Amino acid sequence: MRDTLDALIPLRDRIAEAYAGREQVLFVARGSSDNAAIYGRYLLETHSGVLAGLVSPSVATHYGAKLDLAHALVVSVSQSGQTEEIVQTQQWAKECGAATIAVANVPDSPLLADADLGLLTQAGPELAVPATKTYVSQTVAMAVLGTALSGDPSAYDDELATVPGEIERLLAERSGVTEAVAALKDSAYAVVSGRGLLMGTALETALKLEETCLRPVRGYSYADLRHGPISVVTGGMSAVLVSAADGPMSTPMIELAQDLDQRGATTVGIGGTAQFADAVDVAVGGPRLTEALSPIASIVPAQLVVESLALSLGLDPDNPRGLAKVTTTDPD
């Protein structure tokens, strides 16, 4: 993460130049990269005042829609930089008039080579099949992108510099990880929820639980969970809730934890305030970061829980069944 910050922060001026004259940022991604992009979208809109959204790659690759993207900066995010669907969508965006930025972890990958500006993350080779350290480095890239397009690009630099140390602390302390595994191991079904800037973290946690531990898991935004699915939450279910230590969403997440507890669910909370930790059955320690940067490190304790849970179930967390490093959306 330190190397990624050192590599990408000097590119802020070039990011701003790529956006000059544009009106919005559109992200292109799949899977874990899509969850990192959700963080980027929230950060741009809440802290940089930049309209942002997500592109459906099939609009380009299957429908061949002709859109006017002259007003847009399109940011493509891929661990390998080789996923054909994402490479094709980036090329389509350029043909539609967009400026393009690519985020990938593999030097000389097609995605980076074809973009107007490439942001190469510095996670090193991803030895496990699931994106873990590369996902974290993608969130670093999202933070650099979001700050580059704000009125004060260096406003978070002092706190950004503390992020690698926070990750080191979380890896060393593993606070609440063992207890969380015990709570989740015998659960028949789990839901994962977060809100605002932490929504991408919640969806990434759900994805990793499902694909690595082979358990039925559903990731919801706070609002989507509240609007109907919460009615089926009962005893025997687990709910993993991800929250920041500050911000406007911290109190609603406490209220959600209390509601789920009353419905009989076993609640596991990652991060959040002291009151949030008191409201859940199992509290997993999170980063000491403001909400704007919390998503970079909040996924780390979730990854530790998933890894330990997979091992306790006799599964290999580095090689989950059915996964491949380079995603093929439409296999031959």
Side-chain angles (χ1 to χ4, degrees):
M1 299 311 112
R2 289 189 180 95
D3 289 344
T4 300
L5 285 168
D6 290 344
L8 299 188
I9 285 178
L11 298 179
R12 277 184 178 143
D13 287 346
R14 294 187 62 189
I15 294 170
E17 290 171 5
Y19 181 69
R22 311 282 170 165
E23 298 175 0
Q24 68 177 137
V25 175
L26 299 174
F27 291 96
V28 176
R30 287 289 191 198
S32 291
S33 299
D34 205 36
N35 296 330
I38 289 172
Y39 166 50
R41 175 189 178 185
Y42 269 98
L43 187 65
L44 282 169
E45 293 191 335
T46 60
H47 291 274
S48 303
V50 174
L51 181 65
L54 304 178
V55 172
S56 296
S58 60
V59 170
T61 59
H62 285 66
Y63 290 98
K66 304 301 181 184
L67 303 182
D68 181 3
L69 298 181
H71 63 291
L73 168 63
V74 171
V75 179
S76 301
V77 189
S78 167
Q79 185 279 132
S80 67
Q82 301 175 55
T83 300
E84 187 61 28
E85 181 185 35
I86 306 303
V87 173
Q88 290 180 7
T89 303
Q90 178 177 260
Q91 182 59 42
W92 164 84
K94 293 180 74 171
E95 292 170 358
C96 291
T100 58
I101 290 178
V103 178
N105 191 60
V106 178
D108 303 320
S109 59
L111 197 70
L112 290 173
D114 293 343
D116 296 327
L117 175 62
L119 303 183
L120 175 64
T121 54
Q122 306 290 317
E126 182 69 271
L127 302 181
V129 176
T132 49
K133 61 179 180 175
T134 49
Y135 172 83
V136 182
S137 68
Q138 286 176 347
T139 62
V140 171
M142 295 300 104
V144 172
L145 174 72
T147 54
L149 300 186
S150 70
D152 186 359
S154 62
Y156 284 105
D157 279 4
D158 288 346
E159 188 178 5
L160 269 171
T162 71
V163 169
E166 276 298 284
I167 291 175
E168 288 175 335
R169 181 183 65 80
L170 292 167
L171 288 170
E173 293 182 359
R174 302 176 65 92
S175 174
V177 169
T178 300
E179 294 81 358
V181 170
L184 294 170
K185 187 173 183 178
D186 297 323
S187 177
Y189 184 77
V191 296
V192 185
S193 187
R195 195 174 189 188
L197 284 150
L198 272 296
M199 191 178 83
T201 307
L203 296 179
E204 175 64 7
T205 300
L207 178 63
K208 286 296 179 284
L209 276 170
E210 189 166 43
E211 67 185 13
T212 306
C213 299
L214 308 181
R215 291 296 183 88
V217 181
R218 184 68 184 270
Y220 292 99
S221 74
Y222 170 100
D224 288 339
L225 180 59
R226 280 288 193 193
H227 290 165
I230 197 169
S231 63
V232 300
V233 174
T234 61
M237 293 179 60
S238 296
V240 180
L241 307 178
V242 184
S243 182
D246 70 347
M249 302 305 180
S250 57
T251 297
M253 291 303 297
I254 295 170
E255 295 168 349
L256 177 61
Q258 294 168 336
D259 191 353
L260 291 169
D261 180 70
Q262 292 172 1
R263 294 172 185 271
T266 299
T267 52
V268 175
I270 298 176
T273 63
Q275 293 80 6
F276 177 74
D278 290 340
V280 297
D281 295 310
V282 176
V284 179
R288 298 163 185 159
L289 298 169
T290 58
E291 184 189 26
L293 301 184
S294 182
I296 304 174
S298 289
I299 191 60
V300 172
Q303 291 171 338
L304 293 175
V305 170
V306 172
E307 179 191 41
S308 296
L309 178 59
L311 291 171
S312 75
L313 295 171
L315 301 170
D316 182 354
D318 293 334
N319 295 283
R321 186 177 69 200
L323 291 192
K325 280 187 180 295
V326 179
T327 303
T328 303
T329 304
D330 297 299
D332 294 334

